[in-house]
Amino acid sequence: MKHVLIPTDFSIRSLRVVHGVVERFGGEPLNIVLMHALEMPTSIMDLMMLSRRSSHQDLITADYKDACEIIKNKYASVIQSMKTEFLIGNGKGIFRNFLLYHNIDVIACAVKEEFRKAGPNSYNPAELIRKSKYPVHQVPLAPRKEKFLVSAMSELFEA
């Protein structure tokens, strides 16, 4: 069983990396952790109130949740679990502990990165990933179709 980390900015496009991961690892069972990185709060009150029910949970949109369900159903025979977790902080040690805690074997990222900040405290974890000693699998994503207005949700059904 492979444990795969995929950074996400809660966009449907960032979930397309899952297709490449399933292709790459064939029929091997997968546990996928979708990680969103947030800066550590600077206020002592924010630190004291930090919990699973914090405002960062509001960054997860209904479309993102629906897209995750579609992917889980599409690859039900391969994906054992797929969950979204937050990395809070931007130090190498924090990232290493996050990877160890989730038993991550490989990190999967899109070849061409199109990160967007989902919230005011969001940051791009590319630098942490680059500096980590973990294997990184680069997944090429097909270019967007600009000719026609296509629903972002429909991108999930393209392989």
Side-chain angles (χ1 to χ4, degrees), residues 29-62:
L30 299 172
N31 284 333
I32 297 175
V33 176
L34 301 164
M35 179 195 76
H36 185 75
L38 296 170
E39 293 286 343
M40 182 70 77
T42 54
S43 152
I44 192 72
M45 285 304 292
D46 289 342
L47 285 170
M48 288 173 47
M49 298 303 192
L50 193 62
S51 71
R52 288 212 167 257
R53 292 191 175 171
S54 291
S55 61
H56 59 268
Q57 292 291 329
D58 297 338
L59 298 174
I60 302 173
T61 63

Side-chain angles (χ1 to χ4, degrees), residues 32-154:
I32 297 175
V33 176
L34 301 164
M35 179 195 76
H36 185 75
L38 296 170
E39 293 286 343
M40 182 70 77
T42 54
S43 152
I44 192 72
M45 285 304 292
D46 289 342
L47 285 170
M48 288 173 47
M49 298 303 192
L50 193 62
S51 71
R52 288 212 167 257
R53 292 191 175 171
S54 291
S55 61
H56 59 268
Q57 292 291 329
D58 297 338
L59 298 174
I60 302 173
T61 63
D63 283 346
Y64 176 83
K65 288 177 187 176
D66 292 342
C68 287
E69 284 303 313
I70 290 169
I71 290 171
K72 280 193 254 185
N73 291 334
K74 182 176 181 177
Y75 298 115
S77 62
V78 177
I79 297 176
Q80 302 296 310
S81 74
M82 188 166 89
K83 60 185 177 179
T84 301
E85 295 288 336
F86 289 91
L87 170 68
I88 300 177
N90 60 359
K92 289 190 309 187
I94 292 170
F95 185 56
R96 184 189 68 240
N97 289 339
F98 183 90
L99 295 172
L100 291 172
Y101 176 78
H102 292 288
N103 298 316
I104 299 300
D105 299 312
V106 65
I107 300 170
C109 300
V111 170
K112 185 178 180 216
E113 191 178 318
E114 294 181 7
F115 180 81
R116 68 171 179 83
K117 288 180 74 162
N121 295 334
S122 299
Y123 72 91
N124 188 345
E127 187 68 19
L128 285 176
I129 291 168
R130 190 180 60 73
K131 288 182 178 179
S132 75
K133 303 281 190 239
Y134 277 76
V136 177
H137 174 62
Q138 299 286 337
V139 177
L141 298 181
R144 292 182 189 219
K145 295 179 180 115
E146 298 296 335
K147 287 192 237 176
F148 304 104
L149 185 60
V150 179
S151 167
M153 199 68 85
S154 69

